Amino acid sequence: MKDIFDQIFDTHKDTRVFFSPGRVNLIGEHIDYNGGHVFPAAINLGTYGMVAPREDDRFRFYSTGFSGQGVVERTRDDLAFREEDGWANYAKGILSALIQEGHALTHGFDLLVTGDLPKASGLSSSASLEVLVAYIANTMYDLGLSRQAIALLAQAVENDYMGMHCGIMDQLIIASGQKDMALLMNTATLETKAVPARFKGFQWVIMDTRYPRKTTESKYNERRRECEAALRTIQAVKPVNHLCELDPNTFHDIQHVIKDPILLKRARHAVFEEARTLAAQEALERQDAIAFGKLLDASHLSLKEDYEVTGFHLDTLVAAARQHGAIGARVTGAGFGGCAIALVSDQALPDFQDKVGYDYHDITGLKAAFYQVTFEDGVGEITI
Ligand code: GLA
């Protein structure tokens, strides 16, 4: 990595290296902007940043994943969003938000970014990059931001600078993940509880449809608006702050006030996904893999039928996984393509990838990818 750094930036300065993970969400999908509980883990695939301070006020960014773009170079007073800066906008957005918050970024830096997270696959490559840059800035300028503050800053950049109105899940798990744990995260209060995320005799497998997400941003923002509209209707009869404050019974009693069938489906997903997530955490604590698997399946069905964020490729991959030994499988992340997760028994594991991959290819013509990941700590400085 240092060779590339020296070559790209034509320098031989001392560098520091940081790693920011990607994330997988076990269950609790599309409810982090509805005040619900979500259950993500940080993973060993992620984004690496090698950085060296500069004496002037210039920032230079280079990513091996976007080498065609070359070095993007901007000064401290020129960090506004520009289409042509591509991926570097995420980094600029973070720096610009820090300046707006009153932090003096006393000098610039050179940053080389590389990584092994597949892009646009639903494993949060963008949040991984945002949190990486925020953490680097926090360390380099000694800003004293907590991990939670870093996550909130990164989310604000995604919302306001990049225009994707995401919830807090991705940035918070990437900032504060814990090795071998999933974090049950209350997105209304930002409280988290670490739960060991393994079932004895089973493995988590991430399955990538390799069907790139396309309209994710506009569809995602549309779902969010739909939930807000459903919430406003419900607030006319029940004083709640979030859809996920409603338990399934209460929802059953008042759902008739939502006349629009689309909004009704969106709200139903949020309310029942919240109940499933709490039940999943209990299943994990009592090591009941079968119960957890059923909740995964029910979550996928709800995201398919009620929330309508899965699609042909994800549905096909998830069905093939169940066919070949997964005791539960579901889309993970925003959906509209990208990745799914499966809980697979040790016995089924040796053939799982070949069989699922074969069926998926037969039906879709695409070659799926499979990742067996470990759950890791959040962003940090590393030695390589
Ligand atoms: C994306 C968003 C998250 C979350 C998920 C869906 O990953 O960034 O905030 O809403 O989709 O659960």
Side-chain angles (χ1 to χ4, degrees):
M1 201 173 175
K2 182 73 163 82
D3 299 355
I4 306 178
F5 188 95
D6 290 349
Q7 193 195 327
I8 295 292
F9 295 119
D10 193 19
T11 170
H12 290 280
K13 284 189 195 150
D14 284 348
T15 51
R16 296 171 77 173
V17 183
F18 297 80
F19 174 71
S20 180
R23 69 96 188 87
V24 65
N25 186 23
L26 303 183
I27 193 162
E29 215 65 84
H30 282 282
I31 54 173
D32 65 338
Y33 48 88
N34 286 311
H37 287 80
V38 295
F39 208 11
I43 59 176
N44 57 319
L45 303 176
T47 315
Y48 296 82
M50 180 174 266
V51 68
R54 297 175 57 85
E55 271 149 30
D56 57 18
D57 70 346
R58 296 191 160 268
F59 293 93
R60 295 195 293 173
F61 309 103
Y62 181 87
S63 169
T64 58
F66 298 91
S67 51
Q69 205 175 335
V71 174
V72 176
E73 179 170 338
R74 298 285 170 216
T75 55
R76 189 170 44 211
D77 55 6
D78 183 22
L79 294 171
F81 182 92
R82 290 187 199 208
E83 199 67 50
E84 70 267 26
D85 288 352
W87 74 275
N89 280 307
Y90 289 102
K92 285 165 41 193
I94 294 289
L95 299 172
S96 144
L98 286 170
I99 293 171
Q100 257 168 37
E101 282 192 1
H103 296 292
L105 308 188
T106 42
H107 55 80
F109 58 69
D110 291 336
L111 173 65
L112 167 68
V113 169
T114 185
D116 47 15
L117 264 182
K119 281 170 235 145
S121 67
L123 302 179
S124 262
S125 55
S126 52
S128 175
L129 173 60
E130 289 155 0
V131 170
L132 174 76
V133 176
Y135 190 88
I136 288 176
N138 189 42
T139 311
M140 182 176 272
Y141 304 112
D142 206 8
L143 305 179
L145 298 176
S146 68
R147 286 177 180 265
Q148 190 183 97
I150 287 175
L152 287 166
L153 178 97
Q155 183 201 16
V157 168
E158 184 82 50
N159 291 175
D160 305 332
Y161 189 94
M162 302 304 297
M164 164 91 172
H165 298 145
C166 66
I168 188 63
M169 170 171 78
D170 301 350
Q171 290 80 6
L172 192 55
I173 188 67
I174 289 167
S176 52
Q178 291 181 31
K179 187 154 181 57
D180 297 329
M181 302 282 175
L183 293 194
L184 183 76
M185 194 181 276
N186 178 337
T187 61
T189 62
L190 302 188
E191 276 163 335
T192 59
K193 175 180 172 187
V195 185
R198 290 273 169 213
F199 286 104
K200 210 162 168 278
F202 294 87
Q203 300 294 329
W204 291 109
V205 180
I206 299 183
M207 313 181 292
D208 189 344
T209 59
R210 289 264 183 84
Y211 179 72
R213 305 182 317 166
K214 284 180 198 134
T215 51
T216 316
E217 191 176 299
S218 61
K219 289 275 180 214
Y220 184 96
N221 291 346
E222 178 185 279
R223 291 295 175 281
R224 190 164 181 164
R225 283 195 302 275
E226 289 164 345
C227 286
E228 283 159 8
L231 176 64
R232 278 195 300 275
T233 312
I234 281 175
Q235 283 169 333
V237 293
K238 182 108 192 143
V240 287
N241 293 316
H242 305 286
L243 286 177
C244 290
E245 278 171 37
L246 298 166
D247 62 64
N249 286 334
T250 314
F251 181 71
H252 184 261
D253 292 344
I254 59 171
Q255 60 178 344
H256 61 271
V257 300
I258 308 178
K259 304 291 180 214
D260 180 330
I262 300 280
L263 298 190
L264 180 61
K265 291 206 289 183
R266 307 299 190 241
R268 189 164 58 211
H269 167 74
V271 170
F272 283 85
E273 185 74 355
E274 168 71 356
R276 279 187 291 269
T277 305
L278 298 176
Q281 182 235 332
E282 284 167 18
L284 190 48
E285 284 191 346
R286 58 171 202 276
Q287 280 291 298
D288 187 345
I290 301 295
F292 202 108
K294 287 198 175 120
L295 292 160
L296 294 174
D297 289 350
S299 170
H300 187 85
L301 188 66
S302 177
L303 288 155
K304 173 173 188 272
E305 306 277 332
D306 277 350
Y307 220 65
E308 299 179 276
V309 293
T310 60
F312 173 64
H313 295 85
L314 278 165
D315 293 342
T316 304
L317 191 53
V318 161
R322 284 190 201 126
Q323 178 86 25
H324 296 297
I327 57 162
R330 59 180 288 278
V331 52
T332 188
F336 311 105
C339 284
I341 48 165
L343 189 54
V344 186
S345 69
D346 288 345
Q347 294 92 303
L349 201 63
D351 294 337
F352 181 78
Q353 190 163 319
D354 285 351
K355 287 181 172 167
V356 175
Y358 183 89
D359 280 10
Y360 178 72
H361 181 258
D362 203 30
I363 299 171
T364 65
L366 294 183
K367 221 170 151 354
F370 297 84
Y371 318 112
Q372 244 177 283
V373 293
T374 53
F375 298 153
E376 299 295 333
D377 284 332
V379 64
E381 183 162 7
I382 57 167
T383 42
I384 53 167

